[in-house]
Amino acid sequence: MNICLIYHSDTGNTKSFAEAIQNALEQKGHQVTNIQLQSLAPIKKASVREHQDISFRSLPKADDYDAILFGGPVWAFGPSPAIIAAIRQMTLKGKKCACFATMGFPYHWMGGNGAIRYMERELGKKDALVLPGRICSRATRDITALRKLRSLELISSL
Ligand SMILES: Cc1cc2nc3c(=O)[nH]c(=O)nc-3n(C[C@H](O)[C@H](O)[C@H](O)COP(=O)(O)O)c2cc1C
């Protein structure tokens, strides 16, 4: 499959998770385009519930891909406002999509679950075909092993 990974990463943790997902996909023979979101203006580090207008240099065209994976950090117990803005600005009807998130706290209920649920709800509003998402906390002894495990789990439903 031709798969697009699109993500927001402020300090690099989600970028590293995206790269692990890319590796896992390529090892299964998929073609991967890896896109880190670039906003036109700095993004305020705030809850998605606080309104901000976010525009991007460019966004991929969903038609070019069989599946799209959306990722971002957990911010204030919710998703990255940037990845939500990207989802809202894309046409995703009938497209296979899944979400991934990274977080600082150790337990998924400390923002990770809520972030994934929020992203999936937005994808649902776009009539995307939503597949199960995955969370990777940085509060772990072996982050490389965890990224690999979560990547394999994420791509297993594609
Ligand atoms: C403004 C802000 C809010 C955050 N809120 C949470 C949170 O609610 N729960 C959590 O586990 N981590 C939280 N974090 C930590 C980030 O989710 C975590 O460090 C993430 O991996 C950063 O990803 P990045 O390096 O791709 O930007 C927050 C970080 C920032 C900057």
Side-chain angles (χ1 to χ4, degrees):
M1 281 200 288
N2 196 8
I3 298 173
C4 180
L5 284 176
I6 177 166
Y7 59 92
H8 169 223
S9 183
D10 188 48
T11 56
N13 196 30
T14 312
K15 182 182 170 74
S16 297
F17 189 19
E19 286 165 356
I21 297 165
Q22 178 170 7
N23 277 343
L25 286 166
E26 286 175 348
Q27 276 178 21
K28 297 237 170 204
H30 298 293
Q31 259 188 289
V32 181
T33 302
N34 182 324
I35 298 173
Q36 180 168 4
L37 284 171
Q38 304 286 337
S39 58
L40 290 179
I43 295 164
K44 186 173 170 199
K45 289 189 190 185
S47 163
V48 71
R49 291 161 190 92
E50 192 175 317
H51 177 78
Q52 28 177 340
D53 286 317
I54 302 175
S55 307
F56 302 99
R57 273 165 227 255
S58 66
L59 285 172
K61 268 214 198 112
D63 281 353
D64 295 343
Y65 302 98
D66 301 305
I68 307 184
L69 308 184
F70 291 89
V74 173
W75 276 3
F77 290 88
S80 142
I83 201 66
I84 295 301
I87 291 171
R88 287 179 179 158
Q89 289 168 38
M90 290 175 70
T91 303
L92 298 166
K93 194 174 168 68
K95 188 64 57 183
K96 261 188 195 179
C97 295
C99 301
F100 60 99
T102 66
M103 59 188 294
F105 294 137
Y107 304 111
H108 291 180
W109 55 267
M110 297 172 123
N113 290 337
I116 293 284
R117 252 196 325 267
Y118 198 117
M119 291 160 80
E120 291 180 344
R121 208 164 47 232
E122 291 299 320
L123 289 171
K125 287 184 198 166
K126 290 286 183 159
D127 294 323
L129 189 66
V130 185
L131 303 171
R134 283 293 181 277
I135 301 160
C136 193
S137 164
R138 65 195 316 163
T140 179
R141 275 196 207 159
D142 189 345
I143 187 92
T144 307
L146 186 65
R147 282 187 191 122
K148 198 169 171 188
L149 173 67
R150 295 283 176 256
S151 298
L152 292 172
E153 290 172 354
L154 181 72
I155 71 170
S156 67
S157 61
L158 288 174

